[in-house]
Amino acid sequence: MELSHKGVVLVGISAGTMVLGPDIRIVDHFTPDFNQVGMSNLDALHLNEMIIFPHYGREDKFPDEKSHEERIRQFEANHQCEVHRLADHEAICIHGNTVSKIVRDRTFHLG
């Protein structure tokens, strides 16, 4: 957080958005086979409180008989949390206490 006070911009793309949050449990939920080293500590950098699922709607990513939405809702219920869904043309901007969702050329303030 010290860097943000100095005006440094941090960018997370794809999985990078996930590691800026509190943990990567959702990765384990969607792709447990990715954890080939048996990590039990799934803490992330915790630079923000948001759990983000990138590539939302791209069913070619993380294919399963259940949809992304069904699996995310199951994760939210199991972990009592909210997952922010980001499609490939979307981004989250956190500036101080302001959180905005950017969809191409539009910005929406969240919470």
Side-chain angles (χ1 to χ4, degrees):
M1 291 307 237
E2 288 180 33
L3 292 176
S4 66
H5 295 295
K6 295 179 182 178
V8 173
V9 176
L10 299 174
V11 177
I13 298 173
S14 190
T17 62
M18 301 168 113
V19 299
L20 294 175
D23 58 60
I24 57 169
R25 292 179 301 173
I26 195 161
V27 175
D28 199 52
H29 179 75
F30 268 77
T31 55
D33 54 312
F34 279 16
N35 188 356
Q36 294 182 5
V37 296
M39 286 177 31
S40 59
N41 181 348
L42 300 177
D43 290 345
L45 296 174
H46 212 146
L47 297 179
N48 67 71
E49 297 297 323
M50 300 178 78
I51 299 170
I52 297 176
F53 182 84
H55 309 297
Y56 181 74
R58 293 260 324 261
E59 296 296 334
D60 61 313
K61 298 260 187 191
F62 325 114
D64 190 83
E65 55 191 50
K66 293 182 180 178
S67 71
H68 284 172
E69 185 60 27
E70 289 175 291
R71 292 185 281 166
I72 290 171
R73 286 183 186 202
Q74 179 185 27
F75 179 86
E76 289 174 323
N78 292 348
H79 297 282
Q80 298 296 297
C81 66
E82 178 184 9
V83 174
H84 297 270
R85 296 134 171 93
L86 284 184
D88 284 352
H89 61 279
E90 298 175 328
I92 295 285
C93 176
I94 302 171
H95 188 263
N97 292 328
T98 303
V99 179
S100 304
K101 185 174 189 177
I102 301 166
V103 182
R104 299 222 176 163
D105 296 328
R106 299 165 148 185
T107 301
F108 303 92
H109 295 288
L110 306 175

